[in-house]
Amino acid sequence: MSGQLMPCSPKEIGALFLFEKLEPEQLGRLCAAGRVELFQPGPVYTEGDPATCFYVMVEGTVVLSRQVGGDDVEVTRTSQSGVYAGAMQAYLGDRVRQAYNNSMRVTEPTRFFVLPADTFADIMREWFPMAVHLLEGLFFGSKNTQAAIGQRERLLALGSLSAGLTHELNNPAAAAVRATSTLRERVAKMRHKLAIIAGSPFSREQLAGLIEIQERTAERVAKAPALSPLEASDREDTLTDWLEDHGCDNAWQIAPTFVQAGLDVDWLDQVAVAVDEEILPNSIGWLNYTIETELLMNEIEDSTTRISNLVDAAKQYSQLDRAPYREVDVHELLDSTLLMLSAKIGQDIRVVKEYDRTVPPVPAYPAELNQVWTNLIDNAVCAMRDGGGAGGGHGTLTVRTALDHEQLLVEFRDTGTGIAPEIKNRIFDPFFTTKPVGQGTGLGLDISWRIVVNKHHGSMRMESEPGDTRFQVLLPLTAEAPEESETPVEAV
């Protein structure tokens, strides 16, 4: 937007704090190269447009705002003469994208000294070469440092996740190996017991009846009811007495297995009727091996299913085989992240899921949202464990989803020590961290903010008091598909 051209007075612009140290010849060159414009109330430039001019306010009132989640958020409002905005990084040239990083408007007739961006860059390099070198070093050094530390933070997170996943996989894998070894031993003993029974003077009908009992016993294992410790103990005592009365050796070892399989005295009475008394102990032993093999196969199935679920969770978390941008069910992302971080969360922290399953899928970059969930969960766990929390290292992590004014709300609530009021405004700043030296880079929340706000056009907010800290992520329910060339936030 252009304003009304006004006379440029070197004396007037020399009174502005930005130019107060310049020589008269320099002020004259500024007036010759630039211009003074009067803007009526309204916009001056818009965020994201090419940065073509450098503005210094002579008199009036200026308002600067930023786009956050599709809304204009006011950043600064001032009437101080000499404040400046616009193409402030023109001296960096083509090494950075020259675009306005905020929007500017005026609320009353306001005069600006306006300098074209190219002219501003030439004057800066000519008059202040050392300052330009220092500013370039500060700008690019900060960018490089942020990129390097951001990469390190992602590698540390990957290492932590890998260690946790390895630990989670090791338990079911070891259980499956152990169960397989025991199963081989039990099958060998079953073959031996079967040989003993086959060598006994059984009729064909008796053998058929015993095999039928074996089949029905195996079916009962799959339908065994869950018993309380007291109920299981009472039933074990009853079965032990029955087995001893019928001449079975090692009754105290067999009884717990039968109870685990859901067998009772009535079932054993049916077995006793089906076989002769002299071979009943061997028949009971054979059934015991049958039950043990079924239980061991169940254990192997549970272990391998657990491994499969962990692999699926890792696949879901990494999104390796998925489109980078698509509609996703956030609950799947949250569950996979919680599973990946289960080793870090541990047994001392209780996880509560308050999911609203009616919320629709949202368009998103799922792998990057998983990074946001990882950062927020990790911070919550550290606040409860390292900070002591309300329970001295224990606590509750509550993950909630809901609809909030046509947006999807994802909330992470922890019972940690909370965030001190004096630092609340700094928690999203790059490199700011409350963790001990060497344990935090201060980029987790900054990266999360950029993923949510810049990449997904959502918003983040935080509420905190001792024992109740809440980080909330708001995501739009609809969005236009991004251009294929859009750069991932992590690489910026």
Side-chain angles (χ1 to χ4, degrees):
M1 177 179 177
S2 299
Q4 177 185 351
L5 291 177
M6 306 286 289
C8 179
S9 167
K11 181 178 180 180
E12 184 179 42
I13 66 171
L16 303 175
F17 66 83
L18 193 63
F19 305 131
E20 59 186 359
K21 298 296 183 181
L22 298 182
E23 300 294 333
E25 295 80 6
Q26 293 174 313
L27 295 174
R29 180 178 173 183
L30 287 178
C31 267
R35 61 190 184 272
V36 173
E37 292 188 41
L38 174 65
F39 287 83
Q40 298 301 321
V44 178
Y45 63 75
T46 302
E47 179 179 351
D49 288 347
T52 58
C53 295
F54 176 69
Y55 295 85
V56 183
M57 189 178 74
V58 179
E59 63 175 353
T61 300
V62 65
V63 177
L64 297 180
S65 61
R66 293 291 305 272
Q67 280 279 330
V68 178
D71 299 323
D72 270 329
V73 178
E74 184 174 316
V75 177
T76 303
R77 180 185 294 259
T78 181
S79 299
Q80 180 183 358
S81 297
V83 296
Y84 52 89
M88 293 186 294
Q89 296 175 345
Y91 57 87
L92 296 174
D94 295 335
R95 287 173 290 177
V96 297
R97 180 171 175 261
Q98 296 295 334
Y100 294 119
N101 61 9
N102 53 38
S103 297
M104 184 167 71
R105 61 186 175 89
V106 295
T107 59
E108 61 177 323
T110 301
R111 285 193 301 138
F112 288 97
F113 172 70
V114 183
L115 200 60
D118 292 342
T119 304
F120 172 62
D122 292 340
I123 288 176
M124 283 288 293
R125 297 190 191 101
E126 179 182 344
W127 291 355
F128 314 107
M130 183 176 178
V132 168
H133 286 307
L134 291 173
L135 290 171
E136 287 177 343
L138 178 63
F139 179 84
F140 290 111
S142 175
K143 283 284 187 181
N144 293 337
T145 300
Q146 185 170 348
I149 295 182
Q151 182 71 14
R152 177 180 178 273
E153 175 144 310
R154 288 189 290 274
L155 289 173
L156 288 174
L158 178 60
S160 177
L161 288 173
S162 298
L165 181 60
T166 301
H167 175 77
E168 291 294 319
L169 286 170
N170 181 65
N171 291 335
V177 170
R178 186 171 55 250
T180 302
S181 177
T182 306
L183 178 61
R184 181 177 289 109
E185 177 187 340
R186 294 297 184 271
V187 170
K189 290 184 177 180
M190 182 188 292
R191 289 197 300 266
H192 176 69
K193 190 69 69 174
L194 180 60
I196 295 176
I197 293 176
S200 301
F202 268 107
S203 66
R204 178 176 297 181
E205 290 75 15
Q206 288 176 316
L207 284 174
L210 187 57
I211 292 173
E212 182 187 1
I213 291 175
Q214 181 191 33
E215 293 293 335
R216 288 191 286 137
T217 301
E219 292 175 0
R220 286 186 69 114
V221 174
K223 303 175 183 178
L227 301 176
S228 68
L230 183 59
E231 291 173 331
S233 178
D234 290 342
R235 185 172 291 188
E236 286 176 15
D237 291 341
T238 303
L239 289 183
T240 299
D241 293 340
W242 189 97
L243 293 169
E244 289 177 346
D245 292 343
H246 289 76
C248 296
D249 296 332
N250 301 324
W252 60 276
Q253 290 179 321
I254 296 176
T257 303
F258 280 17
V259 170
Q260 189 177 355
L263 305 187
D264 52 21
V265 170
D266 291 341
W267 181 262
L268 293 180
D269 286 338
Q270 295 180 39
V271 176
V273 170
V275 300
D276 292 339
E277 183 177 352
E278 64 272 14
I279 63 167
L280 178 60
N282 284 333
S283 301
I284 292 293
W286 188 45
L287 291 178
N288 179 56
Y289 291 139
T290 299
I291 294 169
E292 286 185 335
T293 57
E294 289 293 323
L295 294 175
L296 287 169
M297 285 189 289
N298 288 344
E299 184 177 346
I300 293 172
E301 182 181 17
D302 291 341
S303 300
T304 52
T305 300
R306 171 69 173 165
I307 293 172
S308 178
N309 290 339
L310 285 167
V311 172
D312 286 343
K315 194 175 180 181
Q316 173 70 253
Y317 181 84
S318 63
Q319 298 289 313
L320 289 177
D321 63 340
R322 308 294 181 87
Y325 185 84
R326 60 187 178 86
E327 286 199 342
V328 296
D329 181 352
V330 293
H331 303 112
E332 293 180 358
L333 306 183
L334 291 168
D335 287 340
S336 67
T337 305
L338 287 168
L339 183 55
M340 292 291 289
L341 293 174
S342 58
K344 184 178 185 66
I345 295 172
Q347 301 296 321
D348 296 335
I349 295 176
R350 186 168 68 100
V351 177
V352 177
K353 299 177 183 179
E354 297 180 356
Y355 292 167
D356 180 358
R357 296 287 184 177
T358 64
V359 299
V362 295
Y365 295 88
E368 295 184 25
L369 284 184
N370 280 339
Q371 187 176 355
V372 175
W373 312 150
T374 299
N375 291 335
L376 296 180
I377 293 171
D378 181 71
N379 285 348
V381 170
C382 289
M384 288 184 282
R385 180 169 291 121
D386 300 337
H394 297 69
T396 301
L397 170 65
T398 303
V399 183
R400 181 171 72 93
T401 62
L403 284 178
D404 186 332
H405 298 92
E406 302 304 319
Q407 289 183 304
L408 171 63
L409 168 68
V410 182
E411 180 184 79
F412 299 85
R413 183 168 73 245
D414 68 73
T415 57
T417 52
I419 299 172
E422 60 269 18
I423 66 171
K424 285 183 178 179
N425 293 332
R426 301 182 59 196
I427 60 172
F428 293 106
D429 292 349
F431 306 111
F432 179 77
T433 180
T434 59
K435 295 178 181 177
V437 176
Q439 295 186 21
T441 62
L443 286 178
L445 288 178
D446 171 57
I447 291 172
S448 299
W449 172 273
R450 288 189 288 124
I451 289 174
V452 172
V453 176
N454 297 344
K455 200 69 180 288
H456 291 84
H457 308 293
S459 61
M460 289 185 68
R461 59 195 185 197
M462 182 272 299
E463 302 172 3
S464 181
E465 59 184 42
D468 187 4
T469 297
R470 307 182 184 204
F471 278 89
Q472 297 178 332
V473 175
L474 291 164
L475 299 171
L477 298 179
T478 58
E480 294 183 3
E483 297 180 3
E484 293 183 1
S485 61
E486 188 168 347
T487 305
V489 167
E490 294 91 340
V492 174

Coordinates of all heavy atoms in Angstrom, one line a residue, residues 249-278:
D249 N 1.0 -88.8 42.2 CA 2.2 -88.3 42.8 C 2.3 -86.8 42.4 O 1.7 -86.3 41.4 CB 3.4 -89.0 42.3 CG 3.4 -90.5 42.7 OD1 2.9 -90.7 43.8 OD2 4.0 -91.3 42.0
N250 N 3.0 -86.0 43.2 CA 3.2 -84.6 43.0 C 1.9 -83.8 42.8 O 1.8 -83.0 41.9 CB 4.1 -84.4 41.7 CG 5.5 -85.0 41.9 OD1 6.0 -85.1 43.0 ND2 6.0 -85.6 40.8
A251 N 0.9 -84.2 43.6 CA -0.4 -83.5 43.5 C -0.2 -82.0 43.7 O -0.9 -81.2 43.0 CB -1.3 -84.1 44.5
W252 N 0.7 -81.6 44.6 CA 0.8 -80.1 44.9 C 1.4 -79.4 43.7 O 1.2 -78.1 43.6 CB 1.7 -80.0 46.1 CG 3.1 -80.5 45.9 CD1 3.5 -81.8 46.1 CD2 4.3 -79.8 45.5 NE1 4.8 -82.0 45.8 CE2 5.4 -80.7 45.5 CE3 4.5 -78.5 45.2 CZ2 6.6 -80.4 45.1 CZ3 5.8 -78.1 44.8 CH2 6.8 -79.0 44.8
Q253 N 2.1 -80.1 42.8 CA 2.6 -79.4 41.6 C 1.6 -79.4 40.5 O 1.5 -78.4 39.7 CB 3.9 -80.1 41.1 CG 5.1 -80.0 42.0 CD 6.3 -80.7 41.4 OE1 6.2 -81.8 40.9 NE2 7.5 -80.1 41.6
I254 N 0.8 -80.4 40.4 CA -0.2 -80.5 39.3 C -1.4 -79.6 39.6 O -2.0 -79.0 38.6 CB -0.7 -82.0 39.2 CG1 0.5 -82.9 38.7 CG2 -1.8 -82.1 38.1 CD1 0.1 -84.4 38.7
A255 N -1.8 -79.5 40.8 CA -3.1 -78.7 41.2 C -3.0 -77.3 40.6 O -4.0 -76.9 40.0 CB -3.3 -78.8 42.7
P256 N -2.0 -76.5 40.8 CA -2.0 -75.1 40.3 C -2.2 -75.1 38.8 O -2.8 -74.2 38.3 CB -0.6 -74.6 40.7 CG -0.2 -75.4 41.9 CD -0.7 -76.8 41.6
T257 N -1.6 -76.0 38.1 CA -1.7 -76.0 36.6 C -3.2 -76.3 36.2 O -3.7 -75.6 35.3 CB -0.8 -77.1 36.0 OG1 0.5 -76.9 36.4 CG2 -0.9 -77.1 34.5
F258 N -3.8 -77.2 36.9 CA -5.2 -77.5 36.6 C -6.1 -76.3 37.0 O -7.1 -76.0 36.3 CB -5.7 -78.8 37.4 CG -5.3 -80.1 36.8 CD1 -4.3 -80.1 35.9 CD2 -5.9 -81.3 37.2 CE1 -3.9 -81.3 35.3 CE2 -5.5 -82.5 36.6 CZ -4.5 -82.5 35.6
V259 N -5.8 -75.7 38.1 CA -6.6 -74.5 38.4 C -6.5 -73.4 37.4 O -7.4 -72.7 37.0 CB -6.2 -74.0 39.8 CG1 -6.8 -72.6 40.1 CG2 -6.6 -74.9 40.9
Q260 N -5.2 -73.2 36.9 CA -5.0 -72.2 35.9 C -5.7 -72.5 34.6 O -6.2 -71.6 33.9 CB -3.5 -72.1 35.6 CG -3.1 -70.9 34.7 CD -1.6 -70.8 34.5 OE1 -0.8 -71.6 35.1 NE2 -1.2 -69.9 33.6
A261 N -6.0 -73.8 34.3 CA -6.7 -74.2 33.2 C -8.2 -74.2 33.4 O -8.9 -74.5 32.4 CB -6.2 -75.6 32.8
G262 N -8.7 -73.9 34.5 CA -10.1 -73.8 34.8 C -10.7 -75.1 35.2 O -12.0 -75.3 35.1
L263 N -9.9 -76.1 35.5 CA -10.5 -77.5 35.9 C -10.9 -77.5 37.4 O -10.3 -76.8 38.2 CB -9.5 -78.6 35.6 CG -8.9 -78.6 34.2 CD1 -8.0 -79.9 34.1 CD2 -10.0 -78.6 33.2
D264 N -11.9 -78.3 37.7 CA -12.3 -78.4 39.1 C -12.5 -79.9 39.4 O -12.3 -80.8 38.6 CB -13.6 -77.6 39.3 CG -14.7 -78.0 38.3 OD1 -14.6 -79.0 37.7 OD2 -15.6 -77.1 38.1
V265 N -13.0 -80.2 40.6 CA -13.2 -81.6 41.0 C -14.2 -82.3 40.2 O -14.1 -83.5 39.9 CB -13.6 -81.6 42.5 CG1 -14.1 -83.0 42.9 CG2 -12.5 -81.1 43.4
D266 N -15.3 -81.6 39.8 CA -16.3 -82.2 38.9 C -15.7 -82.7 37.6 O -16.0 -83.8 37.1 CB -17.4 -81.2 38.6 CG -18.2 -80.9 39.8 OD1 -18.2 -81.7 40.8 OD2 -18.9 -79.9 39.8
W267 N -14.8 -82.0 37.0 CA -14.1 -82.4 35.8 C -13.2 -83.6 36.1 O -13.2 -84.6 35.3 CB -13.3 -81.2 35.3 CG -12.6 -81.5 34.0 CD1 -11.3 -81.9 33.8 CD2 -13.2 -81.5 32.7 NE1 -11.0 -82.1 32.5 CE2 -12.2 -81.9 31.8 CE3 -14.4 -81.3 32.2 CZ2 -12.4 -82.0 30.4 CZ3 -14.7 -81.4 30.8 CH2 -13.6 -81.7 29.9
L268 N -12.5 -83.6 37.2 CA -11.6 -84.8 37.5 C -12.5 -86.0 37.8 O -12.0 -87.1 37.5 CB -10.8 -84.4 38.7 CG -9.7 -83.3 38.5 CD1 -8.9 -83.1 39.7 CD2 -8.8 -83.7 37.3
D269 N -13.7 -85.8 38.3 CA -14.5 -87.0 38.5 C -14.9 -87.6 37.2 O -15.0 -88.9 37.1 CB -15.8 -86.6 39.3 CG -15.5 -86.3 40.8 OD1 -14.5 -86.8 41.3 OD2 -16.3 -85.6 41.4
Q270 N -15.1 -86.8 36.2 CA -15.4 -87.3 34.8 C -14.3 -88.1 34.3 O -14.4 -89.1 33.6 CB -15.8 -86.2 33.9 CG -17.1 -85.4 34.3 CD -17.4 -84.3 33.3 OE1 -17.2 -84.4 32.1 NE2 -17.8 -83.2 33.8
V271 N -13.0 -87.6 34.5 CA -11.9 -88.3 34.1 C -11.8 -89.7 34.8 O -11.5 -90.7 34.2 CB -10.6 -87.5 34.3 CG1 -9.3 -88.3 34.0 CG2 -10.7 -86.2 33.6
A272 N -12.0 -89.7 36.1 CA -11.9 -90.9 36.9 C -12.9 -92.0 36.4 O -12.7 -93.2 36.4 CB -12.1 -90.6 38.4
V273 N -14.1 -91.6 35.9 CA -15.1 -92.5 35.4 C -14.7 -93.0 34.1 O -15.0 -94.2 33.7 CB -16.5 -91.8 35.3 CG1 -17.5 -92.6 34.6 CG2 -17.0 -91.4 36.7
A274 N -14.0 -92.2 33.3 CA -13.6 -92.6 31.9 C -12.5 -93.6 31.8 O -12.4 -94.3 30.8 CB -13.3 -91.4 31.1
V275 N -11.6 -93.7 32.9 CA -10.4 -94.6 32.8 C -10.4 -95.5 34.0 O -11.0 -95.2 35.0 CB -9.1 -93.7 32.7 CG1 -9.1 -92.8 31.5 CG2 -8.9 -92.9 34.0
D276 N -9.7 -96.6 33.8 CA -9.5 -97.5 34.9 C -8.7 -96.9 36.1 O -7.8 -96.1 35.8 CB -8.9 -98.8 34.5 CG -9.8 -99.6 33.5 OD1 -11.0 -99.3 33.5 OD2 -9.3 -100.4 32.7
E277 N -9.0 -97.4 37.3 CA -8.3 -96.8 38.5 C -6.8 -97.0 38.4 O -6.1 -96.1 38.9 CB -8.9 -97.5 39.7 CG -8.4 -96.9 41.0 CD -9.0 -97.5 42.2 OE1 -10.0 -98.3 42.1 OE2 -8.6 -97.2 43.3
E278 N -6.3 -98.2 37.9 CA -4.9 -98.4 38.0 C -4.1 -97.5 37.0 O -2.9 -97.3 37.3 CB -4.6 -99.9 37.6 CG -4.9 -100.3 36.2 CD -6.4 -100.8 36.1 OE1 -7.1 -100.6 37.1 OE2 -6.7 -101.4 35.1

